[in-house]
Amino acid sequence: EADIYQTPRYLVIGTGKKITLECSQTMGHDKMYWYQQDPGMELHLIHYSYGVNSTEKGDLSSESTVSRIRTEHFPLTLESARPSHTSQYLCASSSPGTSYNEQFFGPGTRLTVL
Amino acid sequence: AQSVTQPDIHITVSEGASLELRCNYSYGATPYLFWYVQSPGQGLQLLLKYFSGDTLVQGIKGFEAEFKRSQSSFNLRKPSVHWSDAAEYFCAVANDYKLSFGAGTTVTVRA
């Protein structure tokens, strides 16, 4: 079944640790996105990719980095986690084959940095 | 850049009553508009979308939305709310291949 997956769903980690949030989609979409969402707040785009080896920063500045080596995989990395990184991170994908700009979302990763 | 505003932060509605969530957009041409729903601890699910044509759009879970160019609005409605409709609702507008989201409206359903 075509879908978009995020792991882990929940992560509690100490300050200074390096973490990678995984996002994979099986829909063959070329465009992928990372959003940051604080509880009860709107979504802010932090990274996006329009294809392999293409990554761009979003509207909200973030200390995280991303890579797009394979079409289906778009991991997000924090080299040194801090309490200010505590948030929910949502991954999404879209394709020109779908309705214009319709994005499909993963279940999210809730990150807590102590 | 295009943007959307959701004026209502929180709405409480009785089960079985009607629901309307407001969304206003700013854009010169015809926008591509979306409504998403987010249940607690979950990702976003698309309810409906508007690109062109009929201004009354039907979506999933019994929701509909009406595009009104004269009012720059794309309000979401449901005639009879179920307890399972308690969630966060986001309006969004397309900016090239990206989406800009409103701040969201939290819907609480009371018995």
Side-chain angles (χ1 to χ4, degrees), chain B residues 30-42:
Chain B
T30 300
Y32 294 160
L33 293 161
F34 305 82
W35 273 101
Y36 283 88
V37 61
Q38 184 180 33
S39 298
Q42 300 297 315

Side-chain angles (χ1 to χ4, degrees), chain A residues 39-107:
Chain A
M41 303 295 286
E42 65 198 281
L43 284 77
H44 293 285
L45 182 67
I46 52 175
H47 298 284
Y48 61 98
S49 167
Y50 288 167
V52 171
N53 295 325
S54 157
T55 61
E56 300 287 344
K57 290 189 178 297
D59 305 321
L60 180 69
S61 176
S62 173
E63 295 170 342
S64 59
T65 59
V66 293
S67 63
R68 190 87 183 278
I69 299 173
R70 303 198 316 264
T71 298
E72 63 273 19
H73 196 212
F74 191 40
L76 180 147
T77 298
L78 277 166
E79 290 293 332
S80 179
R82 295 208 298 270
S84 60
H85 297 140
T86 294
S87 189
Q88 173 156 259
Y89 294 84
L90 292 165
C91 181
S93 69
S94 72
S95 165
T98 62
S99 299
Y100 189 74
N101 284 0
E102 177 179 345
Q103 294 184 14
F104 297 83
F105 283 80

